[in-house]
Amino acid sequence: MPTSRKTKRKNLSIIVSEGVGFCSGVKRAIKVALAAAKEAGNSVYTLGPLIHNPQVVEKLEQVGIKPVKRLRKGGGLMIVRSHGASRDMLERAESYGYKILDATCPFVRKAQENARKLLDEGYRVVIVGEKDHPEVKTIRSHVKNKALVVETVEQANRLKFGSRVGIIAQTTMSVDTFAGVVGDIARRAKEVLVFNTICIETARRQERAGSLAHRVDVLLVVGGRNSANTSRLKSLCSSICAKTHHVETASEIDGRWFKQGATVGIVAGASTPKWLVENIVDKLKQM
Ligand code: SF4
């Protein structure tokens, strides 16, 4: 249930969205990484940050889990992030002597499998997502980089495809955008097969954020600036509540955002830990 607390000075009412804290995929990746660090000590690597939250990645580095930009010969333990990994990367890591620990989120794995199924059955695969996002890149690699990627209905509208189109989504895609792209393609293709691969946890988070945005004067979206799902929560909430701000930490909060007696909502991305949200609540209570 949402919690509501009154503060003394600005008399803010604070409503924290239900379900803040890590999603199951992020929890799992962190658990795998921490167990590996305990076992292997100082040579645990992730290709890119384990999750898209700089504050958590910094803490993980302190216990020996290091993000690297590229693979180097010599090996160690390589954790596959929740976003998954491309086939090329996995093969290269093995040839360089890394031991692989796979923490790919089951929702992401399902999206990879569905993309492969569509390709095998002769559909032109379309991924609704961000072309440069690591998850989308790995899904593309599972269909020999043959999938088209669109992020908006406008982009979908410009796509050229054959008569049979298979559509999947980046797991953290906006439900509305996905539905819009599917609708657009369905008007022009003869046969369309759709796998809604948006993860249920993302869909719920978006739903709760949207509903909270209607009830508050100011909304804070907490999460990494490099986190796709946090950015999407920000744009969803901004379209409902004009006073929506994206913050990574409590230090970014500006007292001028809040009028006396305002109701402040807090939502957070899937890779935002609860303690960051609690820091924000504490800061608001002190105002
Ligand atoms: S947001 Fe969903 S798909 Fe992404 S890691 Fe979390 S549970 Fe998995």
Side-chain angles (χ1 to χ4, degrees):
M1 287 292 288
T3 53
S4 178
R5 303 176 187 131
K6 295 263 182 192
T7 62
K8 284 182 196 153
R9 284 137 94 193
K10 282 213 170 182
N11 200 26
L12 301 175
S13 289
I14 304 166
I15 306 174
V16 179
S17 179
E18 268 183 85
V20 295
F22 293 143
C23 66
S24 62
V26 166
K27 269 188 205 155
R28 184 168 168 271
I30 290 178
K31 196 172 162 193
V32 169
L34 289 175
K38 210 169 169 187
E39 190 189 309
N42 224 10
S43 49
V44 179
Y45 305 100
T46 59
L47 196 57
L50 182 66
I51 65 169
H52 284 159
N53 185 282
Q55 292 72 33
V56 175
V57 170
E58 200 182 311
K59 283 186 182 294
L60 292 172
E61 276 194 69
Q62 287 162 8
V63 295
I65 300 157
K66 302 178 210 81
V68 291
K69 288 201 171 122
R70 58 183 66 85
L71 296 168
R72 288 200 173 81
K73 290 188 176 157
L77 258 180
M78 174 63 70
I79 315 279
V80 173
R81 307 183 287 174
S82 52
H83 302 310
S86 70
R87 290 184 156 187
D88 284 0
M89 195 286 273
L90 288 175
E91 279 164 19
R92 217 162 354 113
E94 271 166 359
S95 74
Y96 282 7
Y98 288 94
K99 183 180 166 200
I100 309 284
L101 277 182
D102 193 354
T104 305
C105 175
F107 288 111
V108 174
R109 192 178 301 290
K110 192 75 195 160
Q112 294 168 349
E113 285 165 13
N114 283 334
R116 272 201 304 272
K117 187 172 154 72
L118 289 169
L119 185 75
D120 291 347
E121 292 180 11
Y123 290 91
R124 181 64 152 138
V125 181
V126 173
I127 305 169
V128 187
E130 297 151 273
K131 70 175 173 28
D132 293 325
H133 191 279
E135 178 195 318
V136 173
K137 286 182 173 173
T138 65
I139 296 173
R140 285 195 82 224
S141 82
H142 283 259
V143 288
K144 302 171 191 156
N145 292 318
K146 286 183 177 167
L148 301 168
V149 182
V150 290
E151 198 177 341
T152 63
V153 177
E154 293 69 36
Q155 287 174 9
N157 200 257
R158 291 195 292 270
L159 275 188
K160 295 201 184 337
F161 41 72
S163 57
R164 303 176 78 221
V165 184
I167 312 175
I168 63 157
Q170 181 178 341
T171 54
T172 51
M173 198 58 201
S174 137
V175 174
D176 291 342
T177 304
F178 182 60
V181 170
V182 169
D184 181 80
I185 293 177
R187 273 192 288 278
R188 295 183 291 133
K190 282 212 170 90
E191 185 187 335
V192 181
L193 181 54
V194 180
F195 288 114
N196 180 355
T197 49
I198 295 174
C199 97
I200 184 75
E201 297 186 39
T202 295
R204 276 201 200 116
R205 229 171 256 259
Q206 289 175 6
E207 208 178 290
R208 287 173 183 148
S211 124
L212 185 56
H214 281 289
R215 298 164 47 207
V216 297
D217 302 307
V218 183
L219 193 94
L220 302 180
V221 181
V222 191
R225 293 214 158 68
N226 55 349
S227 156
N229 77 86
T230 306
S231 303
R232 255 184 288 284
L233 288 180
K234 161 76 167 50
S235 56
L236 168 74
C237 294
S238 299
S239 69
I240 301 166
C241 172
K243 292 184 178 166
T244 294
H245 303 275
H246 181 174
V247 292
E248 277 193 357
T249 65
S251 64
E252 295 171 25
I253 292 175
D254 184 336
R256 288 171 297 185
W257 294 343
F258 316 103
K259 285 198 178 135
Q260 188 75 23
T263 302
V264 184
I266 303 177
V267 301
S271 48
T272 307
K274 270 192 187 150
W275 58 265
L276 273 174
V277 173
E278 283 159 10
N279 288 353
I280 304 251
V281 171
D282 289 344
K283 170 107 182 218
L284 293 174
K285 284 163 77 181
Q286 286 159 21
M287 290 181 135

